[in-house]
Amino acid sequence: MKRNELAKQALSHFGRVVWFRSPVERNPNDGKLQVAFIGWRFAEPREDIREIVDSIVQETTTKVEWEFRYAKNWMIVPRRLILEACPAASKFNEAMVAISQSDQRFCAESAADLEKILHRLSNEAVSRGL
């Protein structure tokens, strides 16, 4: 199952997703892996769901460091991408491209990590009957 499908499936356990963003796994122009992350918005965000997602992101053993950010949109993103995007993520797309072009190992690790996080989200939702 592709990462986008896995992410949408995992998130749908927690509520109706009205906006979603995740890069394609490989750049269609050069075939390089992309940095893995997901961003989304629930139709009706809930504090208890935010706490579950935050806990899973923090507790999952990963190769790269991850952050869960939330406001209007929620995001699970490698900390490195946030740091390289400058304050307020003003250069997010540029940082994403730069990392994808220069560090394929990081991209592969972020992809594996995110898949692990998404599986944990799905399993948690099922165990809670969501």
Side-chain angles (χ1 to χ4, degrees):
M1 180 181 298
K2 290 188 177 187
R3 183 174 53 239
N4 286 348
E5 295 166 359
L6 180 62
K8 288 176 185 177
Q9 182 181 53
L11 296 172
S12 70
H13 289 292
F14 297 101
R16 187 167 62 88
V17 176
V18 295
W19 175 83
F20 179 83
R21 178 180 181 202
S22 180
V24 294
E25 294 175 34
R26 290 190 174 272
N27 183 311
N29 297 321
D30 62 18
K32 288 188 175 183
L33 290 171
Q34 305 278 55
V35 177
F37 70 89
I38 57 170
W40 74 95
R41 183 179 318 133
F42 287 121
E44 296 177 20
R46 296 178 12 207
E47 180 67 19
D48 61 326
I49 301 302
R50 185 199 61 76
E51 291 171 359
I52 292 168
V53 175
D54 190 38
S55 175
I56 287 172
V57 170
Q58 297 306 315
E59 293 172 6
T60 301
T61 302
T62 57
K63 293 196 182 277
V64 303
E65 292 183 71
W66 289 84
E67 288 190 15
F68 170 55
R69 296 198 159 205
Y70 55 91
K72 180 180 178 181
N73 299 326
W74 294 14
M75 178 179 264
I76 299 173
V77 60
R79 181 167 291 143
R80 176 179 171 187
L81 181 52
I82 294 297
L83 293 173
E84 292 187 20
C86 302
S90 61
K91 298 189 182 288
F92 189 86
N93 290 335
E94 293 91 336
M96 183 178 68
V97 170
I99 294 169
S100 296
Q101 291 298 313
S102 66
D103 195 344
Q104 286 290 284
R105 180 177 176 184
F106 181 84
C107 293
E109 290 174 345
S110 71
D113 284 354
L114 185 55
E115 185 171 327
K116 192 177 193 181
I117 292 167
L118 293 171
H119 281 293
R120 288 207 54 213
L121 283 170
S122 286
N123 292 340
E124 184 66 21
V126 168
S127 73
R128 291 174 179 255
L130 300 174

